[in-house]
Amino acid sequence: MARPRRTKRDAPERKPKKKISILDSEGITWVDYKDVALLRRFMSERAKIRARRVTGNDAQQQRAVARAIRVAREMALLPYSVRQVTHRSKGKRDRGPDGDRPPRREDIPPPPDGSASAEPTEAPEPTEAPAPPAAEAEATS
C-alpha cells in the first residue's frame, strides 16, 4: 500500500540557528573605522558589506559597522571594490578550430560555386632569379 503524502503543514517547523555577532562574542562595544582587521570580517571577498542576517549583528551594531566601513573607504583604508580578472565565456567567438588562434586560410572552405574567393589573394613569394651564365663561369674558375 502507498504511504500517505506529507504536506508542509505536517512537517515539523524548523527554526534557523541564531547567528552570534562577532562584536558580541569578542565583547566589542565601539567600532573604530581604523580597525581594518575587524571591518574586513564584515565584508565579502568582493568588498561588499555583509548583511545583518549573515553577520548576526543587531540593527544598531550593523549601522555602526556600515558607517565605520564607509569612513574607512573614504580614508582609503578599505577598498570600494576589488578588481577581479574576468574569465572568458565558454562560447569561443572569433576562434579557429584549435580555439587559440584565428582561422587559417586552409581551414576556410572554398565557395560552393567554384569562383574565386572574395578575399584578396597574396602575391607569390619571389624566388631567387638564376645568375647570368657569365657570372657562373667567373665564379667557378
Side-chain angles (χ1 to χ4, degrees), residues 17-29 31 38 41-42 51-65:
K17 184 179 174 184
K18 176 72 174 146
K19 293 267 189 182
I20 299 170
S21 173
I22 297 168
L23 300 175
D24 290 337
S25 63
E26 295 186 4
I28 297 170
T29 57
V31 181
L38 175 69
R41 295 170 73 183
F42 293 102
R52 274 182 59 197
R53 61 184 167 77
V54 177
T55 60
N57 292 340
D58 62 14
Q60 188 175 6
Q61 290 171 333
Q62 186 69 15
R63 278 193 300 271
V65 166

Side-chain angles (χ1 to χ4, degrees), residues 111-130:
D113 61 351
S115 64
S117 65
E119 295 182 25
T121 58
E122 293 180 15
E125 291 184 18
T127 57
E128 262 187 57

